[in-house]
Amino acid sequence: MRLSHLLALFAALIAVIAPELAIAATEEAAVVLEGAPKPSRLDYPLIGNVSARTVVWSAAQMHLFLAAFVLAVPLFAIATEFMSVITGDDRFDDMAREFMKITMAAYSLTALVGGGLLLSLLVFYPHLMDYMVKVFRGQMLIYAMLFGLESITLYVYFYSWDALRRGNRKWYHMSIGLLLNTVGLTLMFVANAWASFMMSPAGVDAVSGAVTGTVWEATRNPLWNPLNLHRFLANIAYGGAIVGGYAAYMFLAEKDPETKAHYDWMGYTANFIAILGFLPLPFAGYWLMAEIYAYSQQMGITAMGGILAWLFIIQAVLIGTIMLAANYYLWSGLMRTDRGAQYAKYVKYIAVVIVGGFLVWLTPHTLILSASEIQNLGGTHHKILGPLGIMPAKNVAVNLMLVMTFLSFQMFYRSSRIPTVSWAKQGNMVVVALYVVGIVNIVGAGIYGYITPTVYKVGASVPQVVSTLTIIIGAVIIDVFMLRGAKAEKVHWGRMTERSQYALFVLPVAFTWLMGLMGYIRSSLRTNWHVYTVMKDNSPENYIPTLGDAGNTITAITLGFMAIMVFVFWLSRLGQTKQKTAEDTA
Amino acid sequence: MTFLRVIGFSVALLLFYMGFSHILPQVEPDTSAPVEVSTAGLDMDGMIALGESLFSGKGTCTLCHNGMGRAPDTLVMDMAATFPARLTDARYAGVSAGKEGAKAIEAYILESMEDPSAFVVEGFGEKGSNDTVSPMPAVDKAPIELTVVEMNAVTAFLQDLAGLEPTIPLPSADDAPRVEESSSGEAAPLLTTGVAVVDEHGCASCHDLDGSGATLGPSLYGIGKRMSRATVMEAIIDPNAVVADGYDADFMPADFGEEMRGSELLLLTDYLMALPEAAPVSEDDDDEELATTGLEVVENYGCAGCHDLDGSEADIGPALNGIGTRMSADEIKEAIVDPNAVITEGYEADMMPDYFGDDMAESEIDLITDYLLKLPE
């Protein structure tokens, strides 16, 4: 690599670490106090009957799916590579490498779709792009440079796998992986800055939209960090879910028991990582929504109590199916161990809580009813089910579902280990007490939420979150010490029903659709603004589409993404296929 | 087979999610182009009506001012007692502090819209601000962007709600983007009720309204349940944008948007949105008072909605000016009772309702015939 390239990369890194240094040269440009463009309806280019919004929506969502995958898998890979070093188990290392190979094919498709997104934005929304370039200036070039750096580190990380596999060299390899993930996450954070700026602009004049601040001020807008955390956790869950789906397919397709066992183990590990990323996601979601309310109460109410409120019923269905599928998979996994049966008797109770929580979560608060229906119901809210529609009930439901999902994990983990420490009985009592006190606290805080004003209801969710995290963290710590030196029982990998594998397909399908839905919600929150309160969207399609229309579009994009994933997996297997020689045939 | 089973399962799951998104209530979006609403000539009743519409519409006030506890429930509270109490509140130091009367309340309401933190009602401030910072956005700024006239209208509505005589200035010519004038050059009288707008523009001639039973256009009863407010407004301004099943495009005049003032459009829309789902059961026809002049008959049966009468310039049916020089009294009566017997050149059969002969009393037919015979060219 030439020195100039290295210097360019160094400049890009500096820009990320200390953006104010990188943008110093462009400060003067910021003095130009030209307001945000105000295009009229006729200023938006029309190409035949092509729906500009659907084109941009599809390209953006597809790019996000692919980008989430190619960012998530390296995160997944570095975590499993680290596990291989810690445990000395080469299966982790093989699995990480297998997935990095798939990423290589998906990476070029991500760039291709990204280029398509840029082109469609420039063609259909030139005024918006003009404004965004004025606000973010050099950062867009830095983004392009980071993309180059991402490519280099990705190739080096993958192709050096075998060369740097053992001993101290493994740490070099993991360092490259760390750099790859750092660059990848930085790319995501930069893109998040643009998306969050459009929702909560900063560094510009509140009335005219004229650029008055630095790029860093625009980047560090109120919703940037909540979005960063939310997408980071979601990426981990998403990566795990897709790997799980792949493993499930391989499990079903393979006949060899040893290979099946390998993919069963891969499915379990991927599901574990997916749920690990998924468990804190609702809390990150709370933070994001709280920040949205803090930034603009109107925007918050539009999301949770206005035109978009029904979307959260769909979200509840999606998350409910994810929870049920993940738990079903875990319960099925109890048959892998000989002691699993003694835990299986608790499954029905966990199932009742999860299904109950699911039903509470999807109970709407306000119903759109006809006059006669209101008369029959005696009001706009159902007397018994109505109270289940508001946040206190839903907070109780989601926290209990998370606690029960963790319990399912814990049961499988314990089913293959018999504690040998002398204080095992007392330790178990502490764990039970943790669950009991935590659940009482979650339910109690939920009841408190009913008797306090709306503004304090969100506050009531904090002790519930703390209770859930205390149960999980406390139980993990106790188990770590209590199961040290435990008598290990054999885990019969591959001893799983075929039906259980379908639960692993639910996760990536539901996650992908869910991401599409949340993207629709996030964009719709801006209502008829390109950049909220600063640059109006006067295009013919500046309205929020109906749920049904959005559902159609999201489904079409998800199907497209699934087709791409099938192609990518097929490519990966094609690479392993060797034509038989004449000798082989003989 | 494994591949097909997996793909089939995944696609079925996707279709389930998609189907679920369709069974939930669909909130139809407002797809219309922005409408330039003129407020010229709006009187105080019109301003109050506009203010009420803005309070739950563009102003988005009811998002928080409801019973959910985010902001005082203005529509339910006793505002007659609340406003004076606010002005004398020890924590209030705004423009109307210590003053009294409707004018002071007007200033207080306007101040609370432009600078919500000037006074924050106890318990409704931002968390940690000790009720010194309001979470309410300034309504004259983005994203709400109410104009001065619109804020005045909301103020008038709130003053009216409190039982006060509104004190806000009425919109001036400077506030209005255009001034509508009648063909004679004099300003047409301002219509201040939805019923007056319906009568003026003869909506009941084609639509079943006010018991007209007309079927040329779709019934408007229960339209508020079927369409959003914006779509109703769009259907008035651009009738061909959405054409009801079973009806033809290009039938309803497309110039109502130009003919009506903005305030009249709002009043008409609100009137239509509030219509019951079905036409009220009419009282015995025998009890109805019969028209006593030809003009009353014309107004009662909405003839000007289709014919150019009384300056309506409608052109669905032929112009009736000077008809006495072209037709005899008997021919006019026959045309009313059996409109398809003779069709004027350039017009189609089955356009004019054929129930006038049944609905009108004989005396009314005589009166309208006499009235039409005397119409000048």
Side-chain angles (χ1 to χ4, degrees):
Chain A
M1 190 181 290
R2 295 218 312 250
L3 183 61
S4 59
H5 290 171
L6 281 173
L7 285 174
L9 292 177
F10 180 71
L13 277 177
I14 289 292
V16 172
I17 297 161
E20 58 273 40
L21 295 179
I23 59 170
T26 57
E27 281 297 298
E28 283 182 25
V31 177
V32 181
L33 291 176
E34 188 186 346
K38 294 178 180 172
S40 72
R41 184 164 285 210
L42 298 174
D43 292 329
Y44 290 83
L46 293 174
I47 301 177
N49 288 324
V50 174
S51 164
R53 181 174 65 181
T54 307
V55 170
V56 170
W57 182 359
S58 304
Q61 195 61 62
M62 187 65 80
H63 181 58
L64 190 129
F65 285 157
L66 285 163
F69 177 69
V70 298
L71 289 178
V73 171
L75 279 170
F76 181 88
I78 191 91
T80 45
E81 198 180 6
F82 183 70
M83 287 297 289
S84 81
V85 172
I86 297 296
T87 61
D89 188 343
D90 272 358
R91 287 182 303 175
F92 286 107
D93 208 61
D94 293 338
M95 180 170 70
R97 191 182 187 287
E98 188 172 349
F99 263 85
M100 285 309 296
K101 188 170 64 186
I102 294 166
T103 305
M104 303 301 283
Y107 188 72
S108 54
L109 282 169
T110 309
L112 196 69
V113 177
L117 170 62
L118 179 64
L119 185 68
S120 57
L121 279 168
L122 289 171
V123 168
F124 291 113
Y125 298 94
H127 305 92
L128 170 65
M129 290 307 286
D130 179 48
Y131 182 58
M132 293 296 280
V133 169
K134 276 183 188 148
V135 173
F136 287 98
R137 292 159 269 175
Q139 194 185 71
M140 294 198 164
L141 293 176
I142 292 169
Y143 183 84
M145 288 162 64
L146 280 172
F147 206 85
L149 186 60
E150 166 90 353
S151 307
I152 294 167
T153 47
L154 180 69
Y155 292 131
V156 173
Y157 182 60
F158 176 69
Y159 287 108
S160 66
W161 204 288
D162 291 331
L164 303 174
R165 181 155 187 165
R166 306 284 173 200
N168 280 341
R169 287 187 171 196
K170 190 65 180 169
W171 291 101
Y172 294 138
H173 189 255
M174 285 173 58
S175 301
I176 298 167
L178 197 62
L179 179 63
L180 166 65
N181 279 296
T182 306
V183 176
L185 286 174
T186 308
L187 271 170
M188 186 182 78
F189 294 158
V190 172
N192 288 350
W194 305 339
S196 56
F197 170 82
M198 289 171 71
M199 295 174 75
S200 58
V204 295
D205 182 75
V207 177
S208 69
V211 180
T212 53
T214 62
V215 173
W216 178 235
E217 282 172 318
T219 301
R220 203 185 46 189
N221 62 72
L223 299 183
W224 185 46
N225 275 325
L227 193 63
N228 284 339
L229 178 68
H230 201 270
R231 282 188 167 171
F232 171 67
L233 291 172
N235 271 5
I236 293 174
Y238 194 49
I242 290 187
V243 172
Y246 171 79
Y249 176 73
M250 297 304 289
F251 178 91
L252 294 173
E254 292 291 342
K255 301 287 178 217
D256 174 43
E258 202 173 317
T259 314
K260 274 180 111 71
H262 168 71
Y263 285 112
D264 182 25
W265 171 82
M266 184 190 275
Y268 167 77
T269 310
N271 184 51
F272 176 79
I273 290 175
I275 298 302
L276 197 68
F278 184 70
L279 285 179
L281 210 48
F283 308 133
Y286 277 136
W287 184 37
L288 176 59
M289 198 45 77
E291 290 297 321
I292 286 175
Y293 267 100
Y295 170 71
S296 166
Q297 185 156 294
Q298 197 179 19
M299 187 186 265
I301 296 170
T302 300
M304 302 300 289
I307 189 170
L308 298 170
W310 284 98
L311 291 169
F312 288 91
I313 300 298
I314 306 183
Q315 186 207 36
V317 171
L318 284 155
I319 294 179
T321 49
I322 289 171
M323 287 281 199
L324 284 170
N327 275 279
Y328 175 75
Y329 179 77
L330 290 168
W331 302 332
S332 300
L334 288 172
M335 69 177 66
R336 294 193 194 103
T337 60
D338 297 332
R339 292 178 67 244
Q342 75 181 64
Y343 289 94
K345 61 188 174 196
Y346 300 114
V347 163
K348 53 182 174 287
Y349 303 111
I350 298 176
V352 166
V353 175
I354 299 230
V355 172
F358 174 39
L359 293 175
V360 168
W361 204 356
L362 66 80
T363 303
H365 177 233
T366 308
L367 303 168
I368 297 178
L369 302 166
S370 68
S372 59
E373 285 170 332
I374 291 174
Q375 203 171 13
N376 291 336
L377 202 62
T380 53
H381 300 117
H382 193 278
K383 284 189 177 61
I384 298 166
L385 298 179
L388 298 179
I390 59 173
M391 283 312 286
K394 296 188 189 307
N395 283 341
V396 171
V398 72
N399 278 286
L400 290 184
M401 286 166 83
L402 293 176
V403 168
M404 290 300 125
T405 303
F406 174 74
L407 180 59
S408 296
F409 258 120
Q410 202 180 17
M411 287 194 321
F412 173 74
Y413 188 71
R414 283 186 165 215
S415 72
S416 63
R417 292 166 179 83
I418 303 169
T420 53
V421 292
S422 59
W423 50 275
K425 192 175 177 185
Q426 290 84 344
N428 278 332
M429 286 170 68
V430 174
V431 171
V432 171
L434 259 177
Y435 274 98
V436 171
V437 173
I439 289 170
V440 166
N441 207 29
I442 288 168
V443 175
I447 293 168
Y448 170 74
Y450 278 100
I451 54 173
T452 191
T454 302
V455 284
Y456 297 113
K457 279 187 174 61
V458 177
S461 69
V462 174
Q464 293 175 312
V465 172
V466 170
S467 301
T468 302
L469 292 178
T470 305
I471 292 171
I472 294 173
I473 295 169
V476 166
I477 292 171
I478 291 170
D479 272 10
V480 163
F481 287 103
M482 199 161 75
L483 299 175
R484 187 173 285 175
K487 184 184 166 196
E489 296 272 299
K490 181 171 173 54
V491 179
H492 303 280
W493 293 111
R495 200 161 79 179
M496 283 287 269
T497 59
E498 291 210 340
R499 194 189 304 143
S500 67
Q501 300 304 302
Y502 284 87
L504 288 183
F505 294 125
V506 173
L507 264 63
V509 172
F511 266 125
T512 309
W513 211 91
L514 181 58
M515 283 167 70
L517 180 77
M518 299 317 283
Y520 161 60
I521 294 176
R522 195 186 54 71
S523 291
S524 297
L525 285 180
R526 289 183 278 111
T527 57
N528 60 334
W529 297 85
H530 285 309
V531 180
Y532 195 61
T533 72
V534 165
M535 183 182 173
K536 213 157 217 169
D537 179 356
N538 289 320
S539 66
E541 297 175 292
N542 66 351
Y543 55 88
I544 298 176
T546 63
L547 287 184
D549 289 345
N552 294 347
T553 308
I554 293 165
T555 303
I557 303 169
T558 307
L559 278 171
F561 177 69
M562 278 169 53
I564 289 177
M565 279 294 101
V566 168
F567 174 67
V568 165
F569 289 147
W570 175 77
L571 271 185
S572 154
R573 286 178 67 78
L574 187 66
Q576 293 172 354
T577 309
K578 290 178 183 167
Q579 188 180 13
K580 288 181 178 173
T581 62
E583 288 173 13
D584 291 335
T585 314
Chain B
M1 272 309 289
T2 301
F3 177 77
L4 290 177
R5 276 209 307 267
V6 170
I7 291 295
F9 175 78
S10 303
V11 171
L13 189 59
L14 278 179
L15 293 178
F16 166 72
Y17 293 141
M18 189 175 82
F20 190 71
S21 72
H22 281 270
I23 63 168
L24 288 175
Q26 305 291 308
V27 182
E28 290 296 330
D30 175 6
T31 58
S32 60
V35 179
E36 190 85 355
V37 177
S38 163
T39 51
L42 207 58
D43 68 356
M44 199 53 84
D45 285 341
M47 285 293 273
I48 293 169
L50 177 63
E52 185 173 9
S53 160
L54 290 166
F55 198 82
S56 57
K58 181 185 172 187
T60 63
C61 315
T62 47
L63 270 185
C64 297
H65 290 281
N66 52 38
M68 298 290 285
R70 288 195 176 279
D73 193 357
T74 315
L75 299 181
V76 172
M77 291 165 64
D78 177 11
M79 298 312 287
T82 304
F83 281 134
R86 297 270 173 83
L87 303 194
T88 53
D89 192 301
R91 295 188 305 114
Y92 177 52
V95 292
S96 295
K99 297 178 184 170
E100 57 184 38
K103 199 70 189 166
I105 289 173
E106 175 201 320
Y108 167 77
I109 297 171
L110 284 169
E111 181 187 42
S112 68
M113 285 193 274
E114 293 172 318
D115 180 13
S117 295
F119 176 71
V120 182
V121 178
E122 200 171 343
F124 291 103
E126 277 193 2
K127 204 176 172 185
S129 73
N130 198 23
D131 294 333
T132 56
V133 180
S134 170
M136 173 174 155
V139 302
D140 58 335
K141 306 277 188 322
I144 301 173
E145 294 181 319
L146 290 191
T147 63
V148 171
V149 172
E150 288 170 334
M151 284 194 293
N152 281 338
V154 172
T155 305
F157 165 63
L158 293 176
Q159 285 183 310
D160 183 62
L161 195 69
L164 299 167
E165 196 64 40
T167 53
I168 50 99
L170 291 174
S172 69
D174 294 340
D175 296 321
R178 57 195 162 93
V179 179
E180 303 90 350
E181 290 183 346
S182 68
S183 53
S184 64
E186 292 173 16
L190 177 76
L191 304 172
T192 54
T193 66
V195 175
V197 181
V198 167
D199 287 345
E200 172 68 19
H201 296 281
C203 312
S205 302
C206 298
H207 298 282
D208 181 13
L209 267 176
D210 269 348
S212 74
T215 54
L216 291 179
S219 170
L220 300 179
Y221 286 108
I223 198 169
K225 295 278 185 298
R226 303 193 299 273
M227 294 168 85
S228 71
R229 192 171 182 279
T231 315
V232 171
M233 208 178 271
E234 185 190 12
I236 298 168
I237 297 167
D238 181 9
N240 293 324
V242 182
V243 179
D245 287 344
Y247 295 89
D248 296 330
D250 297 321
F251 189 73
M252 178 168 157
D255 57 359
F256 285 131
E258 294 164 23
E259 294 294 320
M260 287 181 202
R261 292 182 172 88
S263 60
E264 292 169 347
L265 179 63
L266 291 171
L267 286 168
L268 176 60
T269 309
D270 286 344
Y271 171 77
L272 296 176
M273 293 296 287
L275 283 174
E277 285 202 56
V281 178
S282 61
E283 293 175 11
D284 192 348
D285 289 348
D286 295 340
D287 295 340
E288 287 180 11
E289 280 188 25
L290 294 177
T292 54
T293 66
L295 184 60
E296 268 183 51
V297 181
V298 166
E299 286 174 352
N300 288 352
Y301 291 93
C303 310
C306 295
H307 298 281
D308 182 7
L309 265 175
D310 202 20
S312 72
E313 295 180 7
D315 58 0
I316 295 174
L320 300 180
N321 290 342
I323 194 169
T325 62
R326 302 192 295 277
M327 294 170 79
S328 67
D330 287 343
E331 285 171 335
I332 292 175
K333 281 182 185 175
E334 187 188 9
I336 294 168
V337 175
D338 183 7
N340 295 320
V342 180
I343 303 297
T344 307
E345 196 178 335
Y347 294 88
E348 293 173 20
D350 297 323
M351 292 287 283
M352 180 166 158
D354 57 5
Y355 49 72
F356 289 131
D358 298 330
D359 287 3
M360 287 183 189
E362 203 164 318
S363 64
E364 288 181 316
I365 295 178
D366 289 339
L367 283 169
I368 191 173
T369 305
D370 195 37
Y371 173 80
L372 293 175
L373 278 170
K374 291 174 186 167
L375 277 177
E377 281 284 354

